[in-house]
Amino acid sequence: MHKKEHQAAKISAGILKGLVFASAALTFLVLFFLIVYILVHGIPNLTPQLFAWKYTSENASMLPSIINTLIIVILSLVIAVPLGIFSAIYLVEYAKRGNKFVKIIRLTTETLSGIPSIVYGLFGALFFVTALKWGYSLLAGALTLSIMILPLIMRTTEEALKSVPDSFREGSFGLGAGKLRTVFQIVLPSAIPGILAGVILAVGRIIGETAALIYTAGAVAEVPSSIMGSGSTLAVHMYNLSREGLYMNQAYAVSVVLLIFVLLINWGSGKIAKKLTKGKE
């Protein structure tokens, strides 16, 4: 009986191991196929005309959209990151366990993270664009996106803070440091890699967002004179190019630039996380 049970356990372990490897291989193949497909179709269509300063129907330039994307990413992160980090610090370090208010906040953030982006876009259109009378503007788009990414940054920061060992806090308190000093000089630096992971995911969502921005930032392919002006991001620009099927080659080229954006952000944030970790050690 013991031998049979041992053999059955070995077989089940082998099956599970095979499923794990098959899942990993399938994920890698899908990612590899997508990247190769985008590069093969997009790189041949990257021309100097696509980087002209002004968009026209002849050149279909993406340069204004690249600049608008950078502006919206910076604005959204400036608004959402401090709010998300400070909220997570309160929930983990200051709020009492079992607090009903904390449960309400967590329930709210989980609900917000599951709302479709089109709903955020409609909210932004009704509140920022119409009620506040801002019109289609980069600021309206950035505020809408900051509400979208806030739950993500809060949850990832919260998990990163929880992963910091309690011995770090106890050692700091033992040396006479106060609560605030312990949080900002000991706990927060130790949680930076996890926080950066959340910020990377947030940036990826901002760059790839279309529905929320069409209703708030608009789809004008030019760089506005201020953040109160309308402008399209790369994702919105690609949607506009591919919508009617007239600029499919240019749309593939824009997808290559979007892919490069995401890769550069991941590479840069990884370098920053390594430097911060080494500096902490």
Side-chain angles (χ1 to χ4, degrees):
M1 287 293 292
H2 290 293
K3 286 184 178 181
K4 287 183 179 179
E5 289 176 359
H6 186 64
Q7 286 177 351
K10 272 189 174 182
I11 291 169
S12 60
I15 292 170
L16 289 173
K17 189 176 180 181
L19 287 172
V20 168
F21 279 111
S23 301
L26 182 61
T27 304
F28 173 77
L29 287 173
V30 170
L31 179 62
F32 181 76
F33 173 76
L34 286 173
I35 292 173
V36 171
Y37 185 85
I38 291 170
L39 294 178
V40 168
H41 287 79
I43 289 176
N45 296 303
L46 285 171
T47 61
Q49 292 180 343
L50 285 172
F51 298 94
W53 180 252
K54 287 191 175 181
Y55 170 88
T56 64
S57 57
E58 286 79 23
N59 61 28
S61 174
M62 71 172 91
L63 185 59
S65 298
I66 293 174
I67 296 170
N68 291 336
T69 301
L70 292 173
I71 293 170
I72 282 188
V73 167
I74 292 168
L75 282 175
S76 301
L77 292 181
V78 165
I79 297 166
V81 170
L83 284 173
I85 291 175
F86 291 146
S87 299
I89 288 172
Y90 169 75
L91 292 174
V92 176
E93 302 295 335
Y94 289 96
K96 294 180 180 179
R97 292 182 180 179
N99 191 332
K100 290 183 179 179
F101 180 62
V102 172
K103 290 181 180 178
I104 292 170
I105 292 174
R106 285 188 175 137
L107 178 63
T108 304
T109 54
E110 288 171 4
T111 305
L112 284 173
S113 62
I115 294 175
S117 59
I118 188 70
V119 177
Y120 284 104
L122 291 172
F123 166 77
L126 291 171
F127 185 69
F128 298 119
V129 176
T130 305
L132 297 182
K133 297 181 180 179
W134 289 356
Y136 291 113
S137 62
L138 296 183
L139 182 60
L143 284 168
T144 304
L145 289 179
S146 65
I147 296 171
M148 284 179 61
I149 65 173
L150 185 60
L152 174 63
I153 293 173
M154 280 182 63
R155 292 298 294 169
T156 52
T157 303
E158 193 177 349
E159 293 302 320
L161 292 172
K162 285 180 179 177
S163 67
V164 178
D166 288 335
S167 59
F168 286 23
R169 299 174 178 84
E170 292 166 2
S172 179
F173 293 146
L175 292 171
K179 182 76 172 179
L180 192 65
R181 198 172 205 179
T182 299
V183 169
F184 283 93
Q185 293 190 359
I186 304 298
V187 178
L188 199 58
S190 302
I192 279 178
I195 295 170
L196 275 176
V199 173
I200 293 165
L201 292 172
V203 171
R205 187 166 187 185
I206 293 168
I207 292 174
E209 188 54 50
T210 54
L213 291 173
I214 289 172
Y215 290 104
T216 53
V220 180
E222 64 179 26
V223 181
S225 57
S226 70
I227 58 173
M228 298 307 296
S230 176
S232 64
T233 60
L234 273 173
V236 174
H237 183 61
M238 184 173 68
Y239 168 75
N240 289 331
L241 291 176
S242 60
R243 179 173 55 178
E244 297 176 359
L246 299 176
Y247 298 95
M248 288 305 299
N249 292 334
Q250 291 86 344
Y252 280 121
V254 174
S255 66
V256 172
V257 176
L258 273 170
L259 181 63
I260 292 170
F261 256 69
V262 174
L263 291 175
L264 285 175
I265 289 165
N266 286 331
W267 176 81
S269 58
K271 288 286 183 182
I272 293 169
K274 281 182 181 179
K275 284 186 178 180
L276 290 171
T277 305
K278 285 181 180 178
K280 183 184 67 178
E281 290 173 354

